[in-house]
mmCIF file of all heavy atoms in Angstrom:
data_model
loop_
_atom_site.group_PDB
_atom_site.id
_atom_site.type_symbol
_atom_site.label_atom_id
_atom_site.label_comp_id
_atom_site.label_asym_id
_atom_site.label_seq_id
_atom_site.Cartn_x
_atom_site.Cartn_y
_atom_site.Cartn_z
ATOM 1 N N ALA A 238 -12.748 36.189 2.534
ATOM 2 C CA ALA A 238 -12.644 35.057 1.602
ATOM 3 C C ALA A 238 -13.887 34.197 1.702
ATOM 4 O O ALA A 238 -14.449 34.015 2.774
ATOM 5 C CB ALA A 238 -11.415 34.236 1.968
ATOM 6 N N THR A 254 -24.501 5.390 0.225
ATOM 7 C CA THR A 254 -25.252 4.146 0.054
ATOM 8 C C THR A 254 -25.246 3.705 -1.412
ATOM 9 O O THR A 254 -25.155 2.519 -1.719
ATOM 10 C CB THR A 254 -26.687 4.283 0.532
ATOM 11 O OG1 THR A 254 -27.351 5.353 -0.176
ATOM 12 C CG2 THR A 254 -26.739 4.583 2.010
ATOM 13 N N VAL A 301 -29.839 -5.437 -5.627
ATOM 14 C CA VAL A 301 -31.245 -5.028 -5.374
ATOM 15 C C VAL A 301 -31.295 -3.751 -4.536
ATOM 16 O O VAL A 301 -32.077 -2.854 -4.793
ATOM 17 C CB VAL A 301 -32.004 -6.179 -4.685
ATOM 18 C CG1 VAL A 301 -33.373 -5.719 -4.217
ATOM 19 C CG2 VAL A 301 -32.141 -7.376 -5.639
ATOM 20 N N ASP A 310 -31.067 8.891 -4.098
ATOM 21 C CA ASP A 310 -30.118 9.940 -4.495
ATOM 22 C C ASP A 310 -30.786 10.904 -5.484
ATOM 23 O O ASP A 310 -30.622 12.113 -5.399
ATOM 24 C CB ASP A 310 -28.881 9.293 -5.100
ATOM 25 C CG ASP A 310 -27.688 10.232 -5.138
ATOM 26 O OD1 ASP A 310 -27.768 11.297 -4.499
ATOM 27 O OD2 ASP A 310 -26.703 9.917 -5.816
ATOM 28 N N GLU A 316 -33.357 21.270 -4.856
ATOM 29 C CA GLU A 316 -32.777 22.355 -4.060
ATOM 30 C C GLU A 316 -33.451 22.457 -2.688
ATOM 31 O O GLU A 316 -32.853 23.036 -1.761
ATOM 32 C CB GLU A 316 -32.955 23.687 -4.807
ATOM 33 C CG GLU A 316 -32.121 23.736 -6.095
ATOM 34 C CD GLU A 316 -32.270 25.059 -6.786
ATOM 35 O OE1 GLU A 316 -33.047 25.895 -6.276
ATOM 36 O OE2 GLU A 316 -31.625 25.264 -7.837
ATOM 37 N N THR A 344 -31.674 0.079 -14.488
ATOM 38 C CA THR A 344 -31.995 -1.144 -15.243
ATOM 39 C C THR A 344 -30.852 -2.126 -15.263
ATOM 40 O O THR A 344 -31.027 -3.325 -14.987
ATOM 41 C CB THR A 344 -32.357 -0.777 -16.692
ATOM 42 O OG1 THR A 344 -33.465 0.141 -16.695
ATOM 43 C CG2 THR A 344 -32.714 -2.030 -17.498
ATOM 44 N N VAL A 353 -26.978 -12.981 -11.789
ATOM 45 C CA VAL A 353 -26.204 -13.676 -10.747
ATOM 46 C C VAL A 353 -27.127 -14.459 -9.825
ATOM 47 O O VAL A 353 -26.647 -15.424 -9.186
ATOM 48 C CB VAL A 353 -25.379 -12.625 -9.959
ATOM 49 C CG1 VAL A 353 -24.636 -13.278 -8.800
ATOM 50 C CG2 VAL A 353 -24.366 -11.931 -10.867
ATOM 51 N N ASP A 389 -23.546 13.708 -19.801
ATOM 52 C CA ASP A 389 -24.978 13.759 -20.146
ATOM 53 C C ASP A 389 -25.303 14.841 -21.172
ATOM 54 O O ASP A 389 -26.463 15.190 -21.384
ATOM 55 C CB ASP A 389 -25.837 13.952 -18.896
ATOM 56 C CG ASP A 389 -25.475 15.235 -18.131
ATOM 57 O OD1 ASP A 389 -24.604 15.979 -18.641
ATOM 58 O OD2 ASP A 389 -26.071 15.463 -17.067
ATOM 59 N N TRP A 440 -7.372 -20.575 0.986
ATOM 60 C CA TRP A 440 -6.954 -19.208 1.200
ATOM 61 C C TRP A 440 -5.596 -18.919 0.580
ATOM 62 O O TRP A 440 -5.328 -17.815 0.149
ATOM 63 C CB TRP A 440 -6.911 -18.888 2.686
ATOM 64 C CG TRP A 440 -8.301 -18.715 3.238
ATOM 65 C CD1 TRP A 440 -8.957 -19.509 4.134
ATOM 66 C CD2 TRP A 440 -9.192 -17.626 2.931
ATOM 67 N NE1 TRP A 440 -10.224 -19.022 4.373
ATOM 68 C CE2 TRP A 440 -10.373 -17.872 3.672
ATOM 69 C CE3 TRP A 440 -9.103 -16.518 2.093
ATOM 70 C CZ2 TRP A 440 -11.495 -17.014 3.575
ATOM 71 C CZ3 TRP A 440 -10.201 -15.675 2.029
ATOM 72 C CH2 TRP A 440 -11.370 -15.902 2.763
ATOM 73 N N ARG A 445 -3.655 -15.203 -3.112
ATOM 74 C CA ARG A 445 -2.651 -14.906 -4.142
ATOM 75 C C ARG A 445 -3.318 -14.370 -5.410
ATOM 76 O O ARG A 445 -2.821 -13.410 -6.030
ATOM 77 C CB ARG A 445 -1.860 -16.190 -4.473
ATOM 78 C CG ARG A 445 -0.616 -15.932 -5.331
ATOM 79 C CD ARG A 445 0.359 -15.066 -4.598
ATOM 80 N NE ARG A 445 1.538 -14.766 -5.401
ATOM 81 C CZ ARG A 445 2.440 -13.847 -5.062
ATOM 82 N NH1 ARG A 445 2.264 -13.101 -3.995
ATOM 83 N NH2 ARG A 445 3.489 -13.634 -5.821
ATOM 84 N N LEU A 498 -1.845 -1.813 4.932
ATOM 85 C CA LEU A 498 -2.434 -3.092 5.310
ATOM 86 C C LEU A 498 -2.344 -4.088 4.181
ATOM 87 O O LEU A 498 -2.131 -5.304 4.413
ATOM 88 C CB LEU A 498 -3.911 -2.868 5.711
ATOM 89 C CG LEU A 498 -4.137 -2.192 7.048
ATOM 90 C CD1 LEU A 498 -5.615 -1.893 7.248
ATOM 91 C CD2 LEU A 498 -3.642 -3.068 8.194
ATOM 92 N N GLN A 503 0.388 -8.824 1.832
ATOM 93 C CA GLN A 503 1.180 -9.345 0.720
ATOM 94 C C GLN A 503 2.519 -9.894 1.156
ATOM 95 O O GLN A 503 2.980 -10.930 0.625
ATOM 96 C CB GLN A 503 1.384 -8.201 -0.294
ATOM 97 C CG GLN A 503 1.937 -8.644 -1.642
ATOM 98 C CD GLN A 503 0.861 -9.215 -2.531
ATOM 99 O OE1 GLN A 503 -0.282 -9.359 -2.121
ATOM 100 N NE2 GLN A 503 1.216 -9.547 -3.748
ATOM 101 N N PHE A 504 3.170 -9.208 2.090
ATOM 102 C CA PHE A 504 4.561 -9.595 2.421
ATOM 103 C C PHE A 504 4.706 -10.317 3.753
ATOM 104 O O PHE A 504 5.793 -10.804 4.072
ATOM 105 C CB PHE A 504 5.437 -8.314 2.468
ATOM 106 C CG PHE A 504 5.637 -7.708 1.112
ATOM 107 C CD1 PHE A 504 4.839 -6.664 0.674
ATOM 108 C CD2 PHE A 504 6.598 -8.211 0.254
ATOM 109 C CE1 PHE A 504 5.037 -6.081 -0.570
ATOM 110 C CE2 PHE A 504 6.801 -7.667 -1.004
ATOM 111 C CZ PHE A 504 5.999 -6.595 -1.414
ATOM 112 N N LEU A 506 1.417 -11.772 5.885
ATOM 113 C CA LEU A 506 0.354 -12.706 6.203
ATOM 114 C C LEU A 506 0.272 -13.840 5.207
ATOM 115 O O LEU A 506 0.186 -15.025 5.578
ATOM 116 C CB LEU A 506 -0.974 -11.933 6.288
ATOM 117 C CG LEU A 506 -2.123 -12.664 7.000
ATOM 118 C CD1 LEU A 506 -1.725 -12.980 8.444
ATOM 119 C CD2 LEU A 506 -3.369 -11.788 7.023
ATOM 120 N N ALA A 515 2.682 -25.489 4.151
ATOM 121 C CA ALA A 515 3.692 -26.382 3.600
ATOM 122 C C ALA A 515 4.341 -27.235 4.687
ATOM 123 O O ALA A 515 4.723 -28.399 4.469
ATOM 124 C CB ALA A 515 4.778 -25.570 2.881
ATOM 125 N N ALA A 516 4.478 -26.656 5.906
ATOM 126 C CA ALA A 516 5.089 -27.358 7.009
ATOM 127 C C ALA A 516 4.126 -28.288 7.730
ATOM 128 O O ALA A 516 4.545 -29.063 8.608
ATOM 129 C CB ALA A 516 5.685 -26.383 7.997
ATOM 130 N N ARG A 529 -6.348 -13.803 12.783
ATOM 131 C CA ARG A 529 -5.613 -12.650 12.228
ATOM 132 C C ARG A 529 -6.126 -12.215 10.871
ATOM 133 O O ARG A 529 -6.361 -11.041 10.637
ATOM 134 C CB ARG A 529 -4.118 -12.990 12.150
ATOM 135 C CG ARG A 529 -3.506 -13.251 13.527
ATOM 136 C CD ARG A 529 -2.039 -13.580 13.424
ATOM 137 N NE ARG A 529 -1.492 -14.003 14.715
ATOM 138 C CZ ARG A 529 -0.241 -14.396 14.917
ATOM 139 N NH1 ARG A 529 0.608 -14.443 13.898
ATOM 140 N NH2 ARG A 529 0.177 -14.748 16.129
ATOM 141 N N VAL A 544 -13.479 5.530 2.959
ATOM 142 C CA VAL A 544 -13.055 6.287 1.788
ATOM 143 C C VAL A 544 -14.276 6.670 0.949
ATOM 144 O O VAL A 544 -14.373 7.797 0.472
ATOM 145 C CB VAL A 544 -12.063 5.432 0.925
ATOM 146 C CG1 VAL A 544 -11.838 6.103 -0.411
ATOM 147 C CG2 VAL A 544 -10.750 5.299 1.641
ATOM 148 N N PHE A 546 -17.231 7.092 1.969
ATOM 149 C CA PHE A 546 -18.026 8.090 2.670
ATOM 150 C C PHE A 546 -17.399 9.480 2.562
ATOM 151 O O PHE A 546 -18.124 10.486 2.475
ATOM 152 C CB PHE A 546 -18.165 7.722 4.162
ATOM 153 C CG PHE A 546 -19.071 8.652 4.916
ATOM 154 C CD1 PHE A 546 -20.437 8.540 4.809
ATOM 155 C CD2 PHE A 546 -18.515 9.630 5.726
ATOM 156 C CE1 PHE A 546 -21.264 9.411 5.512
ATOM 157 C CE2 PHE A 546 -19.334 10.502 6.441
ATOM 158 C CZ PHE A 546 -20.698 10.396 6.326
ATOM 159 N N SER A 554 -13.279 22.158 -6.898
ATOM 160 C CA SER A 554 -11.862 21.845 -7.027
ATOM 161 C C SER A 554 -11.087 22.762 -6.120
ATOM 162 O O SER A 554 -11.521 23.887 -5.816
ATOM 163 C CB SER A 554 -11.397 21.994 -8.468
ATOM 164 O OG SER A 554 -11.278 23.379 -8.819
ATOM 165 N N GLY A 610 5.989 -12.765 -4.189
ATOM 166 C CA GLY A 610 6.062 -14.165 -4.573
ATOM 167 C C GLY A 610 7.378 -14.795 -4.170
ATOM 168 O O GLY A 610 7.404 -15.957 -3.748
ATOM 169 N N ASP A 632 12.418 -39.875 13.380
ATOM 170 C CA ASP A 632 12.671 -41.258 12.940
ATOM 171 C C ASP A 632 13.897 -41.811 13.654
ATOM 172 O O ASP A 632 13.902 -42.976 14.060
ATOM 173 C CB ASP A 632 12.878 -41.267 11.441
ATOM 174 C CG ASP A 632 11.600 -40.990 10.688
ATOM 175 O OD1 ASP A 632 10.514 -41.102 11.306
ATOM 176 O OD2 ASP A 632 11.666 -40.602 9.512
#
Side-chain angles (χ1 to χ4, degrees):
T254 58
V301 171
D310 198 12
E316 295 182 358
T344 302
V353 176
D389 58 3
W440 285 112
R445 191 63 182 168
L498 286 174
Q503 192 81 355
F504 292 96
L506 198 59
R529 298 181 187 177
V544 169
F546 184 78
S554 74
D632 291 342

